[in-house]
Amino acid sequence: AALAVVVAVGLFRGGGGYTVDIAGTDLAQLASGVVTIENTPSGVSIELDIQGLPPAPAGFYYQAWMKGESGAVTVGTFHARADGNDIVLWSGVSIENYPTLTVTIQQEGAGAASSGQLVMTADLTQP
């Protein structure tokens, strides 16, 4: 039964995705994982399967960004305080124009700009 659900989800989402690796920076050296990218009619689905990234402490959260020559666009926030769930982000901009995914740690109430505290990064261009 579980296989049928997975196949149905793959068919519903189009099944045309690909994966790339994501790596931790000096601020999160043990973090690693896989990013699954899929273009959909409503935007780009970005699913993170991350290991070794500690949960964001109280008062902080992680923010994901797509970056390119035109700047950076936020694609979502998460705190990773519970195990077992992949993180699903959405982008309305194309990977061709914003090929780098970064994750920063942000302090609540500090404003919408990036903290610059980069914890993970990935090249989203299709292998």
Side-chain angles (χ1 to χ4, degrees), residues 7 50 54:
V7 171
I50 298 173

Side-chain angles (χ1 to χ4, degrees), residues 17-29:
Y18 64 94
T19 61
V20 297
D21 292 332
I22 188 166
T25 66
D26 288 343
L27 294 179
Q29 294 179 7

Side-chain angles (χ1 to χ4, degrees), residues 4-16 38:
V5 172
V6 170
V7 171
V9 169
L11 292 173
F12 176 74
R13 294 183 64 198
E38 186 164 352

Side-chain angles (χ1 to χ4, degrees), residues 33-117:
V34 175
V35 182
T36 302
I37 308 295
E38 186 164 352
N39 287 306
T40 75
S42 59
V44 180
S45 170
I46 304 166
E47 186 172 319
L48 306 179
D49 182 5
I50 298 173
Q51 297 82 40
L53 183 67
F60 290 83
Y61 61 94
Y62 294 111
Q63 186 158 0
W65 308 82
M66 286 177 63
K67 294 184 174 185
E69 290 183 17
S70 298
V73 175
T74 185
V75 292
T77 62
F78 60 97
H79 53 66
R81 294 188 187 121
D83 290 333
N85 291 322
D86 289 338
I87 300 153
V88 180
L89 309 166
W90 286 92
S91 174
V93 298
S94 72
I95 290 170
E96 292 77 22
N97 294 328
Y98 297 84
T100 302
L101 178 72
T102 62
V103 176
T104 57
I105 188 151
Q106 305 283 127
Q107 185 170 4
E108 291 179 20
S114 172
S115 68
Q117 296 181 37

Side-chain angles (χ1 to χ4, degrees), residues 112-123:
S114 172
S115 68
Q117 296 181 37
L118 187 65
V119 295
M120 299 193 83
T121 187
D123 176 357

